[in-house]
Amino acid sequence: MFESLKGIKVLLVGPIPPPAGGMANQTRQLGVLLRQSGAEVSLVAVNRPYSPRFIGRIPIVRAFFRLIPYFFDLYKQIKKADVVHLMANSGWSWHLFAAPAVWTAHFLKKPILVNYRGGHAEPFFAKSWRTVNASLKRASHIIVPSPYLKDVFAEYHKTADVVPNVLDESLFFPKEQDQIKSQASPIRLLVTRNLEPIYDIPSAIHCLASIMQVHPDSRLFIAGSGPDYDSLVKLTETLGVAENVDFLGRLDSNRIAELYRESDFLINPSTVDNSPNSVIEALACGVPVITTNVGGIPRLVTHQHDAIMVEARQPEMLANGVFQLLKDEDKRQLQVENGLKTAQQFYWSNVSSKLLDAYNQALQNLEKK
């Protein structure tokens, strides 16, 4: 059994930046923190760059140029590992990358921990459970980042332990008191989600337009990239708010953390979600959060306690959440204080012991098979 993380040979399998994203950032951050705790960490990236680079522009062919090296690396690296930590997601990501990792570890008799993530688990399982379960039966243990996903697995009679997303407290911490500016200053709204339909960035832009009717100097900062960029730019022009919206693209973790501390409110308008890092990071940085109440978010924060939650696709309700906190400074400050307490459960000092327990459980379950 593993007595501590020190000396454990951990193989991480998952995406890494670039491009940045919740799962990629978690993989990178987990590797850093495991190494700091003394573990010997190796990595097999599921999104390694194409070689040669031009292959990435050729559909179908590019899949083989990524998958073949991936399978080779999996076999070579799993043989060396004490435990395999697989960052798994729904859809084709599961079939192409996660399932082969599970089967390879099973073949080599190595414990593999499936760290299942993503808000699409319910529809994906409903459609593909027989195939997914065939691989999950070979996994040594399953962990999920939220009670929401634990319940999804329970519906299919699968046990999953909750090990929260990890937060680097050296990066994500609140602003100093003397940095807190008067709300009479221009209001700075922040969105840190990709420009994709499920994150409903248009609602954040409509929210800004409503707030600008009262506070015309307000600004919206959008940190992320994606296929909806052109249509979102057109929307800002149609609503007459283009000069008040900044599309920042993808940013590294250091800049994201600074951006939280420079902002007055985080807006999370997503329509599908699990345990979003953006909400957790904002709480840790002392930023009031106005979020939709979809997926696992109601299991992450509590309405009127550490966040304000509204129905999805209701930009006026997002704006009203901002107005509530602008009008009541005591309420805003209490929400910030409660949010800081909520964020503590995601600090590495709390998560690392749960992760060690999960590694030991994976090893025990392998020995029983």
Side-chain angles (χ1 to χ4, degrees):
M1 298 295 290
F2 306 126
E3 295 183 1
S4 73
L5 290 170
K6 188 174 182 179
I8 300 178
K9 295 178 181 178
V10 180
L11 173 62
L12 277 177
V13 181
I16 56 171
M23 191 166 165
N25 289 338
Q26 277 291 297
T27 305
R28 180 199 60 78
Q29 193 161 261
L30 185 59
V32 170
L33 294 172
L34 281 168
R35 289 187 184 96
Q36 290 176 357
S37 297
E40 298 179 28
V41 181
S42 53
L43 171 74
V44 174
V46 302
N47 59 339
R48 62 184 293 170
Y50 294 103
S51 181
R53 185 173 294 183
F54 74 86
I55 292 296
R57 298 192 294 270
I58 307 176
I60 301 176
V61 172
R62 64 190 178 193
F64 289 99
F65 274 76
R66 176 166 282 174
L67 286 172
I68 291 173
Y70 172 69
F71 294 154
F72 177 78
D73 285 350
L74 267 182
Y75 184 83
K76 181 174 68 173
Q77 296 296 336
I78 287 177
K79 287 199 299 183
K80 303 175 184 178
D82 294 326
V83 62
V84 182
H85 187 137
L86 171 65
M87 308 291 277
N89 209 337
S90 305
W92 282 108
S93 175
W94 172 267
H95 298 305
L96 295 179
F97 299 109
V102 173
W103 282 94
T104 303
H106 173 72
F107 175 75
L108 294 173
K109 294 181 170 55
K110 295 285 186 172
I112 181 164
L113 183 78
V114 175
N115 189 343
Y116 199 98
R117 331 174 64 77
H120 284 291
E122 283 186 287
F124 177 57
F125 286 178
K127 180 181 179 181
S128 306
W129 178 248
R130 288 183 62 186
T131 304
V132 172
N133 191 39
S135 298
L136 283 177
K137 288 178 179 179
R138 276 77 190 175
S140 307
H141 193 45
I142 303 168
I143 63 173
V144 291
S146 68
Y148 165 70
L149 277 181
K150 178 183 176 73
D151 291 345
V152 172
F153 273 90
E155 290 176 9
Y156 290 86
H157 309 290
K158 286 288 183 183
T159 299
D161 288 339
V162 176
V163 177
N165 284 337
V166 62
L167 187 71
D168 187 346
E169 54 200 289
S170 68
L171 276 181
F172 299 100
F173 54 85
K175 65 185 78 176
E176 298 293 336
Q177 189 64 33
D178 59 5
Q179 292 177 295
I180 299 174
K181 61 188 180 69
S182 167
Q183 292 299 347
S185 305
I187 299 164
R188 297 168 62 97
L189 309 176
L190 175 63
V191 172
T192 55
R193 306 309 294 260
N194 286 335
L195 314 184
E196 301 173 13
I198 63 170
Y199 298 124
D200 191 22
I201 308 301
S203 281
I205 296 172
H206 280 281
C207 168
L208 171 70
S210 296
I211 292 172
M212 285 178 62
Q213 293 178 19
V214 181
H215 302 276
D217 292 334
S218 299
R219 301 197 68 83
L220 172 63
F221 298 87
I222 302 174
S225 62
D228 289 357
Y229 174 77
D230 290 339
S231 63
L232 292 171
V233 170
K234 290 179 181 178
L235 177 62
T236 65
E237 294 168 350
T238 300
L239 295 178
V241 299
E243 294 185 0
N244 296 68
V245 178
D246 294 271
F247 290 94
L248 304 177
R250 293 185 183 274
L251 304 174
D252 64 28
S253 297
N254 289 283
R255 180 62 188 118
I256 285 287
E258 293 172 357
L259 195 59
Y260 284 126
R261 288 187 285 272
E262 294 167 0
S263 302
D264 299 309
F265 299 95
L266 177 83
I267 305 296
N268 181 56
S270 57
T271 61
V272 175
D273 234 320
N274 170 31
S275 182
N277 291 325
S278 56
V279 170
I280 298 167
E281 291 165 355
L283 296 178
C285 291
V287 182
V289 171
I290 294 90
T291 178
T292 51
N293 60 1
V294 300
I297 294 177
R299 305 288 293 273
L300 173 64
V301 292
T302 302
H303 182 50
Q304 301 290 2
H305 175 73
D306 47 10
I308 289 180
M309 291 193 289
V310 304
E311 298 297 322
R313 303 190 189 282
Q314 299 293 327
E316 289 296 329
M317 295 179 70
L318 291 170
N320 287 338
V322 172
F323 288 137
Q324 281 184 47
L325 297 181
L326 285 174
K327 293 176 181 177
D328 191 336
E329 175 62 23
D330 290 339
K331 181 176 181 179
R332 187 193 70 82
Q333 187 56 42
L334 181 59
Q335 181 173 312
V336 167
E337 292 172 1
N338 290 334
L340 291 171
K341 294 176 183 176
T342 298
Q344 290 177 3
Q345 64 184 295
F346 302 96
Y347 287 156
W348 179 243
S349 54
N350 294 323
V351 175
S352 58
S353 60
K354 295 181 180 180
L355 190 58
L356 178 62
D357 289 343
Y359 287 167
N360 280 323
Q361 188 65 56
L363 186 61
Q364 282 183 333
N365 291 343
L366 177 70
E367 293 171 348
K368 292 176 183 177
K369 291 184 178 181

